[in-house]
Amino acid sequence: MNINWSALADTAAVSFGITVAVVATFALGVLGLSRREAATEAAGTASPATTGTLALAGATVCFAACAAAVAYGLTLIAA
Amino acid sequence: MEHIGFLVAVVIITALAFDFTNGFHDTANAMATSIATGALRPKVAVTIAAVLNFAGAFLSVKVASTISGGIVNEKAGIHPSVIFAALAGAILWNLLTWLRGLPSSSSHALYGGLIGATIVGVGLHGVNFTTVVTKIVIPAVASPIVAGLAAWGATKVAYLITRKGSEKTTTKGFKTGQMFSASLISLAHGTNDAQKTMGVITLTLVSVGALPKHAMPPVWVIASAGLAIALGTYMGGWRIIRSMGKGLTDIQAPQGFASETAATAVILTSTHMGYGLSTTQVCSGGIMGAGLGGPKGQVNWGMARRMVYTWGLTLPAAAVVAGAAAFVTDRGTWGVLLVGAVLVAGSGAMWWLSRRQPVTAGNVNEVTPVPLDVAITPAGATPTPASTTVAA
């Protein structure tokens, strides 16, 4: 019996990598939303608008990356 | 041979019944953590899962052909009575584990049933044991561990990154994320598991010559398999949802998102690589990992141990029941009728037992907090600890 250990290891490593990457990206997006909220609440102090907008832009990029991962997942399911 | 037509009809109905139990057994995989964290209300969760399982059934028929061509050797003379026996074993095991609230693998129950029935009905040469080890046993051991590690790492990272954010916003964010991750699991589940039933029905039709060898499942087979799994999913195996969502660990939104993402990643990667793994085991492994990686770092090991024992037992137990059933169905039409009667009576009895301590959408989250393994509470007392839903 021939067991393909390297394919198994690859599968495990890829699964681990994708999970951590997606969750980290999503968490950064959530953090961005949280920062924006804080900035909006603190409106009136030094340059709140810029901080808030930057945080929102960052969050948008993160969520877009996650959406891309989901879309790739969908193509794998339908393949 | 005049009972072939009757037998084929019986097999198709039984296959759809198995598909139904598969659905309600596995609702928990995608939705247990979403229900436990409150990301989705119970009824909403099962509705989404049902719709996506149905949709998933139409997405691919790739696995449907490997089930019939991989584990059991079609050329060795698999006939409908063997397949019927296999399904009987798988259904009975699925219902028994559901009654006890244990998330066992429906796929392994089906594989075990096919293996047991084939050994008795056809002989050892009917089973491709190399395929069994490389495509089923090894992934079964590896996948929950990989999912657990990935969920553990992802949970750590999620808490680390969001530690300075406001808790209200992050919880809301992760709950929203859970809707997507849980939906993706449901879709993948429908694609994978509905295909197994399609594979079984197709295998039956091929075995009586109604379809040519290596035929793709006809549309009515795809649609009915999708419908059966969706109905089962909508019924919701609330006992198992409770065990997985509340019995293993106290799960929060970031952990739920991490475990669901890990499960999705492992399922999609492995399916892509051609491993037929168990969604149930992957999701349970993910939840355990997320529990350990969370701020409390706790897992109810009593429940975890029971689940792992059940996983180990699933394949052999379904094989033994199916083997016995195959021995009886081999006797002729009366044997098939006898097994059918036992199957219906057994299923009815387990349903009746479940009524004594019902778990429903309304009380699925009402359990005492995690470390539990306490003595059995009197029947009817609520809230019941998750690990004593097995009392009946």
Side-chain angles (χ1 to χ4, degrees):
Chain A
M1 186 165 25
N2 188 17
I3 296 163
N4 192 346
W5 292 110
S6 71
L8 209 63
D10 284 351
T11 312
V14 169
S15 305
F16 185 90
I18 290 177
T19 306
V20 175
V22 169
V23 172
T25 313
F26 192 86
L28 283 172
V30 168
L31 183 67
L33 286 186
S34 185
R35 287 266 162 84
R36 176 171 180 261
E37 224 162 65
T40 320
E41 275 165 23
T45 55
S47 66
T50 352
T51 326
T53 316
L54 267 178
L56 183 65
T60 311
V61 171
C62 289
F63 291 132
C66 291
V70 170
Y72 182 64
L74 284 176
T75 62
L76 281 183
I77 294 176
Chain B
M1 297 298 275
E2 72 276 9
H3 67 279
I4 283 292
F6 160 72
L7 194 51
V8 168
V10 169
V11 170
I12 291 172
I13 291 166
T14 318
L16 293 175
F18 167 76
D19 204 22
F20 178 84
T21 67
N22 188 344
F24 84 46
H25 217 279
D26 291 1
T27 318
N29 294 338
M31 292 304 173
T33 54
S34 299
I35 291 171
T37 62
L40 291 165
R41 280 185 295 120
K43 278 286 179 192
V44 176
V46 295
T47 309
I48 294 175
V51 170
L52 291 173
N53 264 284
F54 184 71
F58 288 90
L59 285 180
S60 170
V61 288
K62 200 169 58 185
V63 183
S65 49
T66 55
I67 291 303
S68 43
I71 306 157
V72 293
N73 189 351
E74 283 160 68
K75 291 193 193 90
I78 306 293
H79 37 86
S81 67
V82 171
I83 299 173
F84 175 61
L87 289 167
I91 292 176
L92 286 174
W93 181 254
N94 258 358
L95 288 176
L96 185 69
T97 48
W98 159 72
L99 187 63
R100 300 184 64 97
L102 289 167
S104 70
S105 163
S106 304
S107 322
H108 284 193
L110 180 62
Y111 296 148
L114 275 174
I115 293 167
T118 305
I119 290 175
V120 173
V122 178
L124 281 172
H125 64 279
V127 180
N128 298 327
F129 284 101
T130 312
T131 315
V132 172
V133 173
T134 55
K135 296 281 180 190
I136 301 174
V137 177
I138 292 176
V141 175
S143 63
I145 298 173
V146 175
L149 280 174
W152 176 83
T155 304
K156 288 273 181 212
V157 170
Y159 275 104
L160 186 73
I161 290 175
T162 57
R163 71 191 183 285
K164 286 193 179 144
S166 89
E167 202 184 328
K168 194 169 144 268
T169 315
T170 51
T171 304
K172 199 173 151 226
F174 282 116
K175 281 186 180 176
T176 313
Q178 274 196 288
M179 292 181 196
F180 290 97
S181 52
S183 298
L184 213 52
I185 297 180
S186 290
L187 198 65
H189 182 264
T191 311
N192 268 308
D193 283 26
Q195 280 191 73
K196 285 169 190 150
T197 303
M198 294 175 209
V200 168
I201 297 177
T202 310
L203 176 62
T204 311
L205 293 172
V206 168
S207 74
V208 295
L211 282 176
K213 281 224 158 96
H214 307 295
M216 282 291 135
V219 175
W220 68 267
V221 173
I222 299 176
S224 55
L227 201 61
I229 205 166
L231 274 177
T233 306
Y234 181 72
M235 294 288 290
W238 299 109
R239 288 163 185 273
I240 301 174
I241 293 176
R242 175 187 276 184
S243 302
M244 280 176 81
K246 293 282 173 184
L248 269 175
T249 185
D250 178 28
I251 207 151
Q252 301 302 320
Q255 292 164 293
F257 180 67
S259 75
E260 286 172 359
T261 307
T264 314
V266 171
I267 292 166
L268 293 183
T269 319
S270 324
T271 312
H272 190 61
M273 297 294 286
Y275 297 111
L277 46 68
S278 156
T279 319
T280 309
Q281 297 177 354
V282 170
C283 291
S284 312
I287 293 172
M288 289 179 209
L292 284 177
K296 287 185 195 156
Q298 276 179 346
V299 161
N300 175 10
W301 290 112
M303 175 66 89
R305 210 177 304 123
R306 285 226 311 273
M307 284 185 188
V308 173
Y309 289 156
T310 314
W311 297 347
L313 268 178
T314 297
L315 206 139
V320 168
V321 178
F327 182 78
V328 179
T329 55
D330 233 16
R331 309 296 107 185
T333 309
W334 68 266
V336 174
L337 290 174
L338 180 64
V339 170
V342 169
L343 179 60
V344 170
S347 310
M350 283 192 258
W351 180 81
W352 180 77
L353 280 173
S354 81
R355 303 310 301 162
R356 289 206 271 165
Q357 237 183 7
V359 180
T360 61
N363 69 1
V364 65
N365 278 342
E366 288 169 18
V367 284
T368 45
V370 173
L372 13 91
D373 274 331
V374 285
I376 292 163
T377 44
T382 44
T384 35
S387 68
T388 60
T389 16
V390 297

